């Protein structure tokens, strides 16, 4: 599994960005995939997750209603559509892939994910 995140950039508050995470490895995860974010001096925090074959989507309370996670199995890619961005959304965003299908309560746990992308920076100015 090799994850490549892209789509970050600088936007003003209220703007939108769409992040992509392509899995260029041998097989697209049939388990869980997620987005986390991190700012300097803070722990990496959960943003959103999606599981193969699961119609539910899982979001941190701070992004619920503004962000949307989707996956395209044909392209081995997941996306994070981010709308109504706020300065507090500024962070390095990382995609992650699990080797199995975490239970829903474990999707927010970093330990559930084996593979991580290098991150893409999102900067939101006020």
């Amino acid at each position: 599994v090799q994850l490549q995140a892209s789509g970050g950039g600088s936007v003003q508050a209220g703007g939108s960005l769409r992040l992509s995470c392509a899995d260029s490895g041998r097989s697209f995860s049939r388990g869980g995939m997620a987005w986390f974010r991190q700012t300097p001096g803070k722990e990496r925090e959960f943003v959103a997750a999606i599981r193969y074959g699961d119609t539910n989507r899982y979001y941190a309370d701070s992004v619920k209603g503004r962000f949307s996670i989707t996956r395209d199995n044909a392209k081995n890619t997941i996306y994070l559509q981010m709308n109504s961005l706020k300065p507090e959304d500024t962070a390095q965003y990382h995609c992650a892939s699990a080797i199995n299908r975490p239970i829903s309560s474990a999707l927010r746990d970093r330990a559930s994910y084996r593979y991580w992308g290098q991150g893409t920076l999102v900067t939101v100015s006020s």
Side-chain angles (χ1 to χ4, degrees):
V1 175
Q2 295 178 353
L3 303 177
Q4 181 70 36
S6 61
S10 297
V11 297
Q12 290 191 327
S16 298
L17 284 173
R18 188 175 82 152
L19 306 184
S20 300
C21 176
D23 180 353
S24 60
R26 296 196 301 177
S27 62
F28 194 42
S29 173
R30 290 186 174 269
M33 296 191 70
W35 289 95
F36 285 74
R37 65 187 182 187
Q38 188 170 24
T39 54
K42 293 188 176 181
E43 290 189 353
R44 194 168 293 186
E45 66 173 6
F46 171 78
V47 176
I50 188 170
R51 294 188 301 184
Y52 185 83
D54 184 355
T55 58
N56 294 315
R57 307 291 181 261
Y58 304 87
Y59 298 99
D61 288 343
S62 59
V63 307
K64 201 172 294 184
R66 300 187 297 121
F67 291 12
S68 176
I69 186 170
T70 56
R71 66 187 291 159
D72 185 332
N73 293 330
K75 295 182 178 180
N76 288 0
T77 300
I78 64 168
Y79 304 95
L80 185 69
Q81 178 65 44
M82 305 186 297
N83 299 325
S84 302
L85 282 161
K86 303 176 181 179
E88 51 264 43
D89 294 319
T90 295
Q92 190 86 1
Y93 283 72
H94 299 266
C95 58
S97 176
I99 60 172
N100 54 19
R101 195 170 187 270
I103 59 175
S104 58
S105 59
L107 288 169
R108 292 170 169 76
D109 187 350
R110 295 192 305 272
S112 297
Y113 301 91
R114 173 73 66 85
Y115 304 102
W116 293 84
Q118 86 292 354
T120 184
L121 180 63
V122 171
T123 303
V124 184
S125 58
S126 57

